[in-house]
Amino acid sequence: MGFADIPHPDFILSAAHILTGADASGAIHVIDDGAVLIKDGVIVAVGTVGDLTLDNPELEVRGGQDIVAMPGFTNSHHHFGLTPLMMGVPFAALELWLPQFRKMRQMNLRLDTLYSAIEMLESGTTTVQHINSGLSGPVENWDRATDEIVSAYGEIGMRSGYCFMIRDQNILSYEDDAKVLAALPEEVRNWLAPSMQAAQTPTRDYMDFFSRQHRKWSKRSPDMVRMNLAPANLHWCSDASLEMIFATARSHGASIHMHLLETERQARYARSRFECSAVEHLDRLGCLGPELTIGHGNWLTRDDLDRLSDCGCMVCHNASSGLRLGSGIAPVNEMQRRNIPVALGIDQSNICDDRDMTIEMKLVWALHRETGMWNDRLEASRVLTMATEHGAKSVGFGKITGRLEIGRQADIVLMSKSEIGRPVLDPRTPIADAVLHRGSKSAIRQVYVGGRLVVDNGRVITIDRDAVLAEIADILSAPMTEVERKADRMVATMMSALTAFHRTHSPDEGYAPYRYNAMNDAGRS
């Protein structure tokens, strides 16, 4: 039975603890022996089990006293299904990692999307910001790719924000493409030529495509899909392109998700090119506002953060990605001090090479502990809010999901309290802390999206998950095609030349190492 075939049952969901969302102080509000009344997929009452069952004796009661209920999580920064590591791309610095994606084997978009959706749903993620890495070929290819990806999320039962990365310059490096291509062997230049044509696509064509898709999905699936925009990064977009993208998003009421300041080199590019920070340049262009979420932001300065706070921007923190690629650690504690809303993203994959938000939240909490006795640190409630309410807002669902309160869609994760406790949980332990630190994928019993059951006993039930995984395995166990073998050869040749190019054309010298404990500047004698 697919998601669209599942009826909207009316029922009462009971739990030992219901985490409804953060209050004004930032603490998670908890209802003990609580219950949620759900009708037609929407929360119509939140209270105690006794009161809601007394008032609605005819309704089925689900859940129980072994259940901890909370809002569904949001992965606010995601690209595609099978991870680069699975597809033969080893970890490297971002600038030397992304070009190797060109050797990854092609996968059916529906299957690829379903693969990561399975991982997300089964670990409690009910909403995703899917950032298509780029549209290529004729316009009909754009339509087909978008339909296959968005429809796959609809098939399995996830809410999705969909956007596509837009570039019109500097595709291969931080330099003009002609300059980079001239440094590559002729056979590589000839092989790259067709895929480089996307950079020649006028931004207006992309905006026209976005407008058509926005109208289409607003009518077809208004509660499940958001069409958003994604200027790829400052070095990939001309000023004129950025201004057009932001104007289009604002005219449609759409969200914008922009990679920015992911690496130190990107920060130095902005200062070299514009003689100011990347954030200040966006501010000068009029491109800062509450519709913008900055993806990564590892190299944001205090001045940058002050600007973001003043403009109401959000940041999507991709902790695993920054660590795995050596890109850096975002200054999340500084963001918290300025009340900048922070969402969480798993990017291509998390520290375990999957999309388990319960693991990503633990990493985020631990990563920003710092070492002082009295400094502000992220509390469990803050991290949970990042993964729920702030994520929903970033993707464009902030008014209908992210909290368990009257009028919102019933996107709910149910965890087993006994599994979280295993073997015992002291009643003095705050339940939000227990969920963050001890809750895991194995503790998830059920997941609801809009009141419809999509995960039961820890497994997706809206599709034949095992058949999807088997079909993917069959496709990738087949020998590589000649086209794929050529791509592998060309990338190997390209990377040798591209690495040499980066060494001689760089806006930075050396690197800024992580500094810990006695190795930090203040601790040197």
Side-chain angles (χ1 to χ4, degrees), residues 200-260:
Q200 307 304 316
T201 301
T203 300
R204 170 52 59 196
D205 291 357
Y206 287 132
M207 297 302 96
D208 291 342
F209 172 74
F210 164 78
S211 295
R212 293 196 303 273
Q213 291 292 325
H214 188 275
R215 288 193 299 270
K216 171 182 173 179
W217 289 100
S218 293
K219 293 179 180 178
R220 180 180 296 184
S221 194
D223 289 337
M224 296 296 293
V225 177
R226 292 288 182 271
M227 281 288 144
N228 298 321
L229 282 167
N233 209 318
L234 191 61
H235 62 281
W236 278 323
C237 293
S238 65
D239 288 353
S241 179
L242 286 171
E243 290 172 334
M244 186 178 296
I245 292 168
F246 275 78
T248 302
R250 288 165 178 165
S251 69
H252 288 76
S255 298
I256 300 173
H257 195 106
M258 183 177 183
H259 290 65
L260 198 75

Side-chain angles (χ1 to χ4, degrees), residues 88-166:
V89 177
F91 293 110
L94 181 77
E95 292 82 1
L96 300 177
W97 187 61
L98 293 178
Q100 296 186 68
F101 285 17
R102 296 173 184 271
K103 73 176 182 179
M104 291 169 59
R105 300 182 70 180
Q106 296 300 303
M107 174 52 62
N108 174 283
L109 288 176
R110 171 183 171 271
L111 294 175
D112 189 64
T113 302
L114 290 177
Y115 171 73
S116 53
I118 290 170
E119 290 193 326
M120 285 187 276
L121 274 178
E122 291 183 349
S123 57
T125 294
T126 55
T127 301
V128 63
Q129 177 81 285
H130 185 109
I131 309 168
N132 188 328
S133 296
L135 302 175
S136 60
V139 174
E140 53 266 27
N141 285 5
W142 306 358
D143 284 295
R144 183 168 55 253
T146 300
D147 282 353
E148 288 185 19
I149 292 168
V150 176
S151 296
Y153 286 120
E155 178 183 356
I156 200 171
M158 283 189 72
R159 298 188 200 277
S160 62
Y162 175 87
C163 50
F164 51 92
M165 294 179 75
I166 301 166

Side-chain angles (χ1 to χ4, degrees), residues 81 103 105 131 155 174 177 186 212 234 272 290 330 333 348 374 383 423 451 519:
K103 73 176 182 179
R105 300 182 70 180
I131 309 168
E155 178 183 356
Y174 298 98
D177 289 320
E186 182 178 5
R212 293 196 303 273
L234 191 61
S272 173
N333 289 337
Q348 296 295 170
W374 316 118
V383 179
M519 297 300 293

